[in-house]
């Protein structure tokens, strides 16, 4: 089933909204690392940094897959014109 350019645009906007939310989550995690360092405890820095790293890698992979999928749908929609 071929997607219309309008539905592809909706998918792209949804991806941008979700990316904004994910970036805010990562910002909170980075702030947690800074607070942990400032208070001299530094007990959770490694775990928090690993979590940020995982989330960044995971989201980048997801976005790459979604962009590829949208590009294929756009190419198919262009051919169908």
């Amino acid at each position: 089933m071929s997607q219309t350019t309008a539905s592809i645009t909706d998918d792209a906007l949804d991806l941008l909204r979700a990316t904004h939310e994910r970036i805010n989550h990562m910002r909170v995690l980075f702030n947690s690392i800074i607070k942990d360092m400032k208070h001299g405890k530094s007990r959770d820095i490694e775990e928090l940094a690993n979590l940020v790293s995982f989330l960044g890698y995971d989201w980048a992979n997801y976005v790459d897959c979604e962009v590829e999928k949208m590009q294929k749908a756009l190419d198919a929609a262009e051919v169908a014109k």
Side-chain angles (χ1 to χ4, degrees):
M1 180 174 152
S2 177
Q3 284 186 289
T4 66
T5 54
S7 69
I8 297 166
T9 302
D10 287 341
D11 289 347
L13 289 172
D14 287 343
L15 182 61
L16 286 172
R17 288 182 190 104
T19 298
H20 181 265
E21 183 177 335
R22 183 61 58 106
I23 289 169
N24 276 331
H25 292 159
M26 292 176 73
R27 180 188 52 79
V28 170
L29 285 169
F30 279 120
N31 285 340
S32 295
I33 290 170
I34 291 168
K35 287 178 185 175
D36 197 39
M37 288 173 54
K38 279 185 180 178
H39 297 294
K41 297 175 184 168
S42 303
R43 289 184 287 224
D44 299 319
I45 288 176
E46 186 175 356
E47 286 184 59
L48 290 168
N50 285 334
L51 180 57
V52 172
S53 178
F54 168 76
L55 290 174
Y57 174 82
D58 183 57
W59 194 253
N61 185 54
Y62 176 74
V63 169
D64 283 344
C65 292
E66 289 298 300
V67 167
E68 184 178 331
K69 186 172 70 174
M70 284 182 235
Q71 185 62 58
K72 286 179 182 177
L74 281 171
D75 292 346
E78 188 65 30
V79 169
K81 281 185 175 181

